[in-house]
Amino acid sequence: MMPEKEIKRCTVCNLPSNYPGITFDEKGVCSICKKKEKQVQYKGINQLKKDIKAILDKSDKDREYDCVVGYSGGRDSSYLLYFAKEVLKLKVLAITLEHDFIPKQTRKNIENLAWKLGVEIKFIKNDALNKCGRQCVKAWSKNPDPAMCATFCTGCRYGIKKIIPQYARKHHIPILLVGNTPYEKINYRVNLLCCNAKKYTKGAKIKGYAKKLLQNPSYLLSPNSMHKQWLDFISYEGKKGENVNPTTIKPFYDYIEWKEEEVIPTIQKLGWKYDESLNSSWRSDCFANLLRQYYYKRLLGFNDLDVYYARMIRNQKISKEEALKKIEEEGKYDDEVIKEILQKYYDLDFDKIEEKIK
Ligand SMILES: [Zn+2]
């Protein structure tokens, strides 16, 4: 990791100088803060209900379900499930992509919360994450490059973008509800691949990715992983027609504001709990992602959490002081937990990776 004092940070949002594409003005304000982000305009809950009704009116009257929710048992999807059932009063099917990296408490959350809400869950195995994600972490450990931490979750996006919509389509479920918020757009992970490219184009990503593969040929051992990785980076972006069937609706992106102070008490009332082995609520639904976040922080000095809070500061949703406190609290990773995850799920040795990093 770069020593903290060498990293210059934006005086407004605290993003560091090694964030891809960032520059600073003479006052130390970063280029992302200077760029005016479009203010989010929410359409309101009444519009949301109207839009949903319009879709349902046009669909099969005998349908068993109105919508599917991709349900990981994490904070956000648990709230979305509650929201779909209790606020929107929809007939919901939760789809949980099963994989090897689900923490014990998350597994309990998945079943408890759905049971309390009276929502049925369909479990579908996502072997892509099990096999490809694991293979990528093993390859990465031979040459721990921060840009390639993106590969840890290979197969996950495939599950979300392919398996879940496919299931909905096959079973004539007209709506796919997703929990994205405008504050979660994370570009740095793929942009890191572009190395020093001036623009983060598709071409630069492909070139950068190819270069990284040549630097560490262990990735090439599994063509299946590479194919899934390829889909992750490239093929899902801006694909036409993806919104047709089922229709994707993002309540907390387009209609109403997602508020942490409402979300956490609501799901906790339904029995949702943090995993005891993790002291963070941040994406605590998967060990593969936890590992990825740990190594971003370790190698770059920042991760998704820093980027998320930088955007919250920029949009005046939180003060810089509060944000720094949150990052400190939520972003703590215990080395012992990481050691155990590496050993148990990947058969890898933490200290050997440390040696390579140093
Ligand atoms: Zn900034």
Side-chain angles (χ1 to χ4, degrees):
M1 183 164 56
M2 236 191 260
E4 189 62 24
K5 60 177 188 274
E6 280 177 27
I7 302 178
K8 185 178 173 178
R9 285 182 182 265
C10 171
T11 50
V12 177
C13 74
N14 210 49
L15 277 187
S17 55
N18 58 341
Y19 185 87
I22 210 168
T23 54
F24 293 88
D25 72 4
E26 63 288 345
K27 288 186 187 128
V29 180
C30 81
S31 46
I32 302 163
C33 281
K34 304 269 291 200
K35 205 163 49 188
K36 271 224 155 58
E37 275 179 34
K38 219 170 59 196
Q39 274 294 316
V40 183
Q41 292 284 347
Y42 294 105
K43 298 182 208 166
I45 187 139
N46 291 334
Q47 190 61 46
L48 173 60
K49 288 179 178 170
K50 262 191 221 162
D51 289 353
I52 288 176
K53 190 177 176 296
I55 298 164
L56 295 180
D57 284 347
K58 273 191 285 179
S59 63
D60 188 351
K61 296 284 169 288
D62 300 329
R63 64 179 181 272
E64 206 175 336
Y65 302 104
D66 300 327
C67 75
V68 291
V69 166
Y71 178 47
S72 67
R75 180 187 67 181
D76 298 0
S77 69
S78 297
Y79 183 74
L80 183 62
L81 198 65
Y82 154 82
F83 185 80
K85 178 79 200 307
E86 297 299 321
V87 180
L88 299 175
K89 311 277 183 205
L90 296 171
K91 289 184 279 179
V92 192
L93 176 67
I95 297 185
T96 297
L97 295 170
E98 274 205 286
H99 55 81
D100 298 343
F101 311 104
I102 303 174
K104 236 190 230 149
Q105 183 58 51
T106 304
R107 217 165 254 287
K108 281 189 202 157
N109 288 339
I110 290 171
E111 280 170 18
N112 282 349
L113 203 111
W115 181 77
K116 280 211 175 133
L117 288 170
V119 170
E120 205 177 311
I121 317 176
K122 168 82 188 162
F123 289 96
I124 303 176
K125 197 161 186 178
N126 183 12
D127 249 343
L129 178 63
N130 290 341
K131 288 182 186 146
C132 305
R134 189 173 272 129
Q135 207 278 330
C136 286
V137 174
K138 286 189 171 192
W140 173 88
S141 73
K142 301 206 180 347
N143 176 9
D145 182 320
M148 290 302 264
C149 291
T151 66
F152 289 16
C153 301
T154 297
C156 180
R157 210 156 161 233
Y158 172 80
I160 295 168
K161 296 269 179 181
K162 289 279 170 209
I163 299 176
I164 295 177
Q166 255 166 21
Y167 186 92
R169 206 169 299 134
K170 196 173 157 201
H171 294 85
H172 307 284
I173 306 171
I175 295 172
L176 172 64
L177 280 189
V178 295
N180 302 22
T181 75
Y183 303 109
E184 292 172 320
K185 277 182 236 155
I186 307 277
N187 301 326
Y188 78 90
R189 299 193 297 239
V190 281
N191 289 349
L192 280 171
L193 282 173
C194 301
C195 305
N196 297 319
K198 288 218 167 58
K199 279 202 174 132
Y200 301 121
T201 58
K202 207 174 194 178
K205 280 175 211 165
I206 295 170
K207 221 169 109 185
Y209 178 53
K211 208 166 134 191
K212 297 287 177 195
L213 293 179
L214 292 176
Q215 280 168 5
N216 181 358
S218 328
Y219 287 106
L220 303 171
L221 294 174
S222 164
N224 188 26
S225 299
M226 302 235 331
H227 175 235
K228 289 288 181 311
Q229 187 60 76
W230 176 258
L231 291 174
D232 266 8
F233 284 153
I234 309 295
S235 311
Y236 297 138
E237 285 175 23
K239 209 171 177 182
K240 275 184 196 156
E242 203 144 19
N243 217 21
V244 178
N245 181 21
T247 307
T248 302
I249 291 195
K250 305 175 186 172
F252 310 121
Y253 196 96
D254 296 316
Y255 297 92
I256 46 168
E257 193 173 354
W258 186 100
K259 288 190 179 132
E260 190 179 313
E261 63 271 23
E262 276 172 30
V263 169
I264 294 182
T266 304
I267 56 174
Q268 282 180 335
K269 232 181 260 168
L270 289 164
W272 186 92
K273 288 187 185 125
Y274 293 111
D275 193 288
E276 277 166 19
S277 65
L278 317 162
N279 48 17
S280 162
S281 75
W282 181 256
R283 294 278 185 262
S284 59
D285 51 359
C286 177
F287 285 134
N289 184 47
L290 184 80
L291 196 66
R292 178 172 73 153
Q293 296 304 329
Y294 174 86
Y295 279 111
Y296 277 129
K297 193 87 179 176
R298 173 79 183 77
L299 296 166
L300 299 168
F302 71 90
N303 64 16
D304 289 15
L305 200 60
D306 299 73
V307 177
Y308 171 75
Y309 279 117
R311 194 171 273 125
M312 296 288 273
I313 297 170
R314 237 174 268 134
N315 285 277
Q316 280 122 39
K317 297 288 170 201
I318 193 169
S319 73
K320 188 177 164 189
E321 290 66 39
E322 279 175 280
L324 293 181
K325 220 176 113 202
K326 287 261 192 194
I327 293 168
E328 173 71 26
E329 283 167 13
E330 296 174 19
K332 251 184 260 156
Y333 299 104
D334 191 339
D335 286 355
E336 290 305 315
V337 174
I338 301 299
K339 246 179 225 182
E340 214 182 295
I341 292 172
L342 284 168
Q343 182 70 53
K344 189 170 164 193
Y345 296 98
Y346 300 94
D347 194 21
L348 288 170
D349 187 70
F350 179 83
D351 296 323
K352 275 190 189 148
I353 297 175
E354 279 301 298
E355 273 166 36
K356 290 231 163 80
I357 290 173
K358 275 166 189 153

